[in-house]
């Protein structure tokens, strides 16, 4: 897993917030969870239909203002509504077959292919080099 | 932004996994400056960082007890 730092604009507080981001080259868009998007007052642009493993997913589109290094980009993102119980780790005695670790979007965002395409070649190489370091 | 702190996290992740399993850690100046239980709301982490890492290079990460492998 490649983890990088990005700054995303918080429309509610009118400032940037630092996020740990999972780099996902297989994701078309960036993704952020609904509880964080609500807190940051992200703009809502209506639904979009995406293919997931077992069927379509219909999240809400948004625009993320992302700063990475010295550059800033306006990138399309999707807002994912995660069930509240999945935001915490599974308890040892809990009858649940989900992974023990909490949902990745509970404390992170995903930066997808559309974000990587905005970067310069040099920046993109630097991000992807984290995989082999 | 936390370029140096992110690098420090990546280089020390194995040690951090032993010391801070299932915690969110905040790193500044090459050391852990704050520990939160579990995965923590990033907006809250940023608020704390504004108080204790003012103007410095900092970063945070959720340190899973075991490597996170169940992500599609």
């Amino acid at each position: 897993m490649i983890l990088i730092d990005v700054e995303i604009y918080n429309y509610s507080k009118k400032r940037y917030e630092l996020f740990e981001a999972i780099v996902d080259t297989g994701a078309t868009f960036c993704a952020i969870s609904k509880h964080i998007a609500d807190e940051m007052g992200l703009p809502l642009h209506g639904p979009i239909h995406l293919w997931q493993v077992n069927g379509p997913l219909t999240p809400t589109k948004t625009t993320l203002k992302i700063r990475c290094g010295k550059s800033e980009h306006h990138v399309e993102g999707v807002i994912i509504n995660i069930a509240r119980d999945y935001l915490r780790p599974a308890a040892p005695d809990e009858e649940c077959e989900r992974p023990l670790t909490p949902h990745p979007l509970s404390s992170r965002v995903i930066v997808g292919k559309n974000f990587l395409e905005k970067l310069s070649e040099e920046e993109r190489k630097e991000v992807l080099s984290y995989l082999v370091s | 932004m936390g370029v140096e702190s992110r690098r420090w996290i990546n280089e020390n992740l194995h040690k951090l996994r032993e010391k801070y399993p299932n915690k969110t850690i905040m790193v500044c100046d090459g050391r852990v400056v704050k520990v939160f239980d579990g995965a923590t709301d990033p907006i809250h982490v940023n608020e704390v960082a504004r108080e204790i890492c003012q103007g410095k290079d900092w970063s945070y990460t959720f340190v899973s007890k075991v490597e996170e492998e169940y992500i599609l």
Side-chain angles (χ1 to χ4, degrees):
Chain A
M1 186 159 65
I2 305 176
L3 295 171
I4 63 169
D5 285 349
V6 296
E7 290 178 307
I8 301 178
Y9 189 69
N10 182 335
Y11 287 81
S12 298
K13 297 274 176 73
K14 297 185 175 17
R15 66 189 185 198
Y16 282 85
E17 312 277 7
L18 184 83
F19 279 85
E20 180 171 51
I22 301 169
V23 178
D24 186 349
T25 56
T28 308
F29 300 110
C30 300
I32 190 166
S33 66
K34 184 176 182 301
H35 73 286
I36 296 172
D38 288 347
E39 206 174 339
M40 293 174 70
L42 295 186
L44 308 177
H45 299 323
I48 180 172
H49 290 249
L50 301 172
W51 283 117
Q52 287 290 289
V53 180
N54 60 347
L57 179 75
T58 319
T60 303
K61 279 194 294 183
T62 187
T63 303
L64 298 167
K65 286 163 71 171
I66 303 180
R67 281 202 311 215
C68 181
K70 291 173 185 166
S71 53
E72 181 188 64
H73 308 285
H74 290 219
V75 186
E76 275 195 299
V78 295
I79 297 171
I80 307 296
N81 196 0
I82 302 162
R84 185 62 60 178
D85 266 2
Y86 292 165
L87 297 177
R88 60 170 178 78
D93 59 346
E94 197 168 358
E95 280 190 36
C96 179
E97 293 181 358
R98 73 177 192 261
L100 286 174
T101 50
H103 194 292
L105 289 179
S106 58
S107 62
R108 298 166 176 153
V109 295
I110 288 173
V111 288
K113 186 170 147 287
N114 67 337
F115 170 74
L116 294 173
E117 285 170 348
K118 299 263 186 181
L119 300 178
S120 66
E121 192 176 342
E122 192 179 321
E123 289 171 323
R124 197 158 44 241
K125 277 182 182 170
E126 189 182 340
V127 166
L128 297 176
S129 72
Y130 281 111
L131 186 63
V132 291
S133 62
Chain B
M1 209 169 64
V3 177
E4 293 304 321
S5 297
R6 173 58 53 186
R7 188 170 291 129
W8 187 89
I9 288 171
N10 286 343
E11 287 171 0
N12 290 278
L13 194 55
H14 290 291
K15 283 185 233 164
L16 295 170
R17 217 183 279 291
E18 290 170 18
K19 198 167 180 186
Y20 303 103
N22 295 332
K23 308 278 187 190
T24 296
I25 58 167
M26 183 187 295
V27 170
C28 185
D29 288 338
R31 64 190 179 92
V32 176
V33 294
K34 184 78 180 174
V35 180
F36 306 88
D37 279 332
T40 307
D41 181 343
I43 308 297
H44 175 62
V45 174
N46 274 264
E47 282 170 5
V48 176
R50 283 188 178 91
E51 290 173 14
I52 60 178
C53 306
Q54 288 175 2
K56 295 178 182 172
D57 180 285
W58 72 277
S59 186
Y60 75 93
T61 193
F62 171 69
V63 185
S64 175
K65 186 176 180 181
V66 290
E67 191 173 349
E68 296 169 85
E69 292 179 325
Y70 296 95
I71 301 171
L72 185 64

